[in-house]
Amino acid sequence: MTTQDTPAEPAVLVQGVSLRYGSQIALEDVSLEISRGSSFALLGPNGAGKTSLMSVLATLRTADAGRVVVAGHDVNRAPRKVRESIGMVFQDASLDDRLTAEENLDFHGRVYGMPGNARRSATDRVLELVELSEWREAPVRTFSGGMKRRLEIARALMHDPEILFLDEPTVGLDAQTRERIWTYLDNERHTRGLTLLTTTHYIEEVDRADWICIIDKGRVIAQGSPSDLKQKHGKPYLHVVAALPEIRSALLDTYPDARTTGPEQISIPADGEEFVPEFLSRFGSRLHEIRFEAPTLEAAFLNLTGRTLRDRADGEREAQRAAGRRAGRQ
Amino acid sequence: MTDFLPILRGIHGVWLREIMRATRDRGQLLGGVSRPLIWLLILGVGLNPYFRGEVFGEVRLVLPYNYLQFLFPAVIVLNIMYTSIQFAVSVIWDREFGFLREVLVSPMPRWAVLLGKVLGGATAATGHGILVLILARFADVTLTPLEVVEAIIYMFMLSFALTCFGVVLAGKVRSFEGFGVFSNTVILPLYFASSSVFPLDPSLTRTQLVVTYPEWLVALIRVNPITYAVDVLRGILIGFNQFPPYIGLGLVAAGMVVFFFMALRGFGK
């Protein structure tokens, strides 16, 4: 269950979903539930299965097993109803650069079957929401990355969806734009009960969510509110600075989980209530600096998913995209 | 009816986007104008004096038309072929840059998305055909308003079939580079191995035809559907047919249906 314990039907219900690409497992027995009006974050390393799950929810892929209900409609039995109920912001830019902002929105309205008057009023509303009204007649190719992303969010909201899927919506954007985007989305959530399902790499953004689901190798490995996950899976750390090499060696010998994190800095997991007093009594007088770090989501995430790099699949995909871009310029 | 109207709006939206993209693509427009001019001015004018033969000691035109008139319908078909098949690049573009996913996640059925795209590509290709049609007077081809209407309707049918064919090709190719090579290996052989730039069966005897063209070339031309597609347009524009026009019309109509369903199978995968 998510944070909002209401008897109402959930916005999204996923039960035992599995998906394979050939012999590769993309999703395995995934189950989760998203309450209406909540903000749900899907967190996982590269290749964990986040985008695959989004694709299944958005009816772009059919799961091999399991049941998925979105906005009260089964994705296999009523895919069209599901599509009418959702908005989607993709990880990669998907605007038409040769059209203006207004033309991109108008196109979206048409493919969602909106009549002319509804399209015009929705265009005005969403452009105002993302503060791009003055740019409505500008070609999208003249937009910055942040403006394009704001326009994509506007486009996803054009047809007034119940649920908004955002696949890495703020990747590559500066802090100001990221903050502004979350303000727009929170406004929509609070004013009209929009449900948000977000995947992101930015841990601080996940902290804003009501409920977090951590997924790795196609499996759900933990779920909970941000504070629950921090408490259950995050570790407090002591970051200490020791100028003398023999002190640093002694620390590393005494605490096998300790790691060198700077020229003279060592980070030590501070598990248990008695750890800090005991540590201070042994080493306190021989250290230059001691800093305590409360459990974080990042620590919880790394504890659950490990520290091995998962960038191979992403690199291959990026190389393919780059080749496409090069060819497009020729 | 309530379901049909939103789908119609969607088809119109996809069609409109293709038209806006085509009219804003200066390179494509330039190609659409320069290609027929080069063919008609250089090939047409250059080979015009040679389009005559000696028959029973008498020098006369191979056909009762000059070479510019004979070539003119074929140049229209060439322009349509290039635009239609190159249109498939936009399908690859949309697939590579995510635009296709945006449409596929909408409530529009896939057949309607494809229909909108193909109608857009076919309209652009017909437009490029009309650009050549405007040069009719220059090629010494005189047309009645009815012939112009017939030609445009037929050009649209041909554009539709070829655009679907281009989408089928795009489904087999995963990159822009691959498609460039692939399309040239399809368009040019199809075009030259048809009766586009020379008559298959001029007003000579069968004996002379066999002497003029090797059997393998005659066979190749006879199995090439573009031969019949050009022949229908030639019939409309200059009143000359080498084959019964219903063969070409039937092939184009069948191509519209068969290639559309083939394109639909691979579309959005």
Side-chain angles (χ1 to χ4, degrees):
Chain A
M1 282 297 289
T2 69
T3 47
Q4 294 185 353
D5 219 20
T6 58
E9 194 178 25
V12 175
L13 179 69
V14 177
Q15 289 177 329
V17 164
S18 297
L19 176 69
R20 278 173 177 269
Y21 301 129
S23 60
Q24 195 185 346
I25 295 170
L27 299 169
E28 193 171 11
D29 198 23
V30 170
S31 294
L32 51 90
E33 197 175 312
I34 305 174
S35 297
R36 287 181 187 265
S38 68
S39 173
F40 188 99
L42 203 53
L43 194 61
N46 290 332
K50 306 185 294 289
T51 303
S52 294
L53 182 56
M54 281 270 197
S55 300
V56 171
L57 296 180
T59 73
L60 286 172
R61 283 192 186 280
T62 307
D64 299 326
R67 180 170 171 246
V68 179
V69 178
V70 176
H73 308 290
D74 187 293
V75 292
N76 293 328
R77 286 186 203 148
R80 199 167 157 205
K81 290 279 178 199
V82 170
R83 291 174 194 167
E84 280 170 357
S85 312
I86 62 170
M88 185 103 191
V89 177
F90 293 99
Q91 189 173 346
D92 309 310
S94 59
L95 294 163
D96 192 327
D97 273 12
R98 289 187 203 170
L99 307 187
T100 65
E102 187 175 13
E103 285 166 349
N104 267 286
L105 295 177
D106 187 67
F107 171 76
H108 180 89
R110 284 177 193 272
V111 299
Y112 275 79
M114 295 168 71
N117 286 341
R119 286 201 305 274
R120 280 186 287 278
S121 61
T123 300
D124 293 342
R125 178 179 68 81
V126 295
L127 280 175
E128 197 175 332
L129 175 78
V130 299
E131 302 171 271
L132 286 173
S133 296
E134 288 173 22
W135 295 83
R136 65 188 303 149
E137 285 171 19
V140 169
R141 65 172 180 275
T142 62
F143 282 21
S144 68
M147 289 164 76
K148 283 181 183 173
R149 194 29 67 108
R150 279 152 59 199
L151 184 60
E152 283 178 321
I153 288 169
R155 184 182 63 181
L157 294 170
M158 262 287 280
H159 58 285
D160 218 7
E162 288 177 48
I163 307 162
L164 192 60
F165 294 160
L166 302 121
D167 195 4
E168 305 279 358
T170 56
V171 73
L173 302 180
D174 59 44
Q176 289 84 352
T177 309
R178 293 211 304 266
E179 182 58 35
R180 197 55 72 91
I181 281 174
W182 286 112
T183 307
Y184 306 144
L185 294 173
D186 285 340
N187 277 346
E188 285 293 295
R189 197 154 75 87
H190 294 130
T191 53
R192 61 180 195 83
L194 180 72
T195 305
L196 298 179
L197 168 57
T198 316
T199 70
T200 178
H201 280 117
Y202 295 107
I203 303 282
E204 70 273 17
E205 289 182 353
V206 179
D207 229 341
R208 308 169 73 123
D210 299 324
W211 197 257
I212 299 169
C213 173
I214 298 180
I215 185 169
D216 193 18
K217 294 171 186 161
R219 285 177 160 274
V220 173
I221 53 174
Q223 286 197 67
S225 67
S227 56
D228 284 350
L229 288 176
K230 283 181 210 171
Q231 288 304 319
K232 278 186 200 162
H233 305 286
K235 282 182 186 170
Y237 271 88
L238 273 184
H239 302 289
V240 300
V241 175
L244 295 172
E246 57 269 28
I247 305 290
R248 293 201 295 274
S249 296
L251 284 169
L252 291 169
D253 289 343
T254 312
Y255 303 105
D257 290 339
R259 286 179 297 117
T260 302
T261 49
E264 295 178 344
Q265 182 177 293
I266 288 175
S267 300
I268 308 156
D271 281 333
E273 285 180 10
E274 286 129 33
F275 179 87
V276 176
E278 191 188 307
F279 176 84
L280 291 175
S281 68
R282 284 181 77 176
F283 290 97
S285 59
R286 291 184 282 172
L287 301 171
H288 283 74
E289 191 181 313
I290 302 172
R291 185 165 53 85
F292 179 78
E293 187 189 309
T296 61
L297 261 181
E298 187 165 0
F301 178 70
L302 290 172
N303 282 337
L304 286 162
T305 59
R307 290 176 185 276
T308 315
L309 288 175
R310 315 283 180 86
D311 54 1
R312 193 173 155 212
D314 239 24
E316 282 169 1
R317 195 171 49 177
E318 191 50 46
Q320 278 180 347
R321 275 192 217 125
R325 281 187 214 108
R326 277 199 302 278
R329 283 196 294 270
Q330 284 168 0
Chain B
M1 189 66 185
T2 47
D3 271 0
F4 192 60
L5 258 182
I7 291 173
L8 266 187
R9 279 190 203 111
I11 293 172
H12 181 233
V14 177
W15 173 84
L16 196 62
R17 172 183 174 250
E18 297 306 327
I19 299 303
M20 285 195 280
R21 282 172 66 87
T23 50
R24 287 171 197 185
D25 186 344
R26 287 181 191 167
Q28 209 186 46
L29 276 176
L30 193 69
V33 174
S34 63
R35 198 180 305 118
L37 280 178
I38 289 167
W39 275 79
L40 289 174
L41 280 177
I42 298 177
L43 202 68
V45 174
L47 292 180
N48 206 24
Y50 299 95
F51 198 62
R52 57 192 70 221
E54 191 176 327
V55 182
F56 306 120
E58 184 191 341
V59 174
R60 64 181 187 197
L61 289 172
V62 171
L63 299 170
Y65 308 97
N66 65 39
Y67 189 56
L68 261 176
Q69 289 169 323
F70 178 79
L71 187 65
F72 183 70
V75 174
I76 293 179
V77 172
L78 180 70
N79 232 22
I80 287 174
M81 279 178 84
Y82 260 104
T83 313
S84 299
I85 295 180
Q86 286 297 326
F87 164 81
V89 170
S90 86
V91 176
I92 300 176
W93 180 280
D94 286 350
R95 196 172 55 206
E96 288 282 327
F97 296 97
F99 198 79
L100 196 57
R101 276 183 305 168
E102 202 264 329
V103 184
L104 293 179
V105 88
S106 76
M108 255 183 103
R110 288 189 182 191
W111 67 262
V113 178
L114 179 65
L115 184 62
K117 278 197 82 73
V118 170
L119 286 174
T123 308
T126 307
H128 282 205
I130 292 171
L131 284 177
V132 189
L133 205 58
I134 294 168
L135 301 172
R137 275 292 169 89
F138 167 78
D140 211 10
V141 173
T142 311
L143 297 169
T144 65
L146 182 66
E147 284 167 343
V148 170
V149 172
E150 280 175 5
I152 290 174
I153 291 171
Y154 176 71
M155 279 153 57
F156 185 81
M157 287 171 64
L158 181 61
S159 301
F160 188 98
L162 288 171
T163 303
C164 291
F165 179 59
V167 178
V168 173
L169 291 187
K172 311 276 178 212
V173 182
R174 291 284 150 192
S175 71
F176 292 102
E177 296 98 326
F179 188 79
V181 174
F182 202 39
S183 65
N184 273 326
T185 56
V186 169
I187 294 174
L188 294 177
L190 266 179
Y191 188 67
F192 286 117
S194 69
S195 183
S196 299
V197 290
F198 51 85
L200 174 67
D201 195 8
S203 309
L204 305 174
T205 65
R206 172 76 182 153
T207 317
Q208 282 165 311
L209 167 71
V210 175
V211 170
T212 310
Y213 301 125
E215 284 288 354
W216 63 265
L217 183 60
V218 174
L220 204 62
I221 289 168
R222 285 189 183 276
V223 297
N224 184 350
I226 296 298
T227 301
Y228 304 94
V230 173
D231 192 64
V232 173
L233 193 60
R234 210 168 256 146
I236 296 169
L237 295 180
I238 63 171
F240 172 68
N241 285 106
Q242 299 183 94
F243 306 96
Y246 63 81
I247 298 179
L249 272 172
L251 280 174
V252 170
M256 290 171 74
V257 177
V258 172
F259 287 136
F260 183 81
F261 282 103
M262 282 174 74
L264 189 59
R265 276 187 69 188
F267 187 64
K269 269 189 182 169

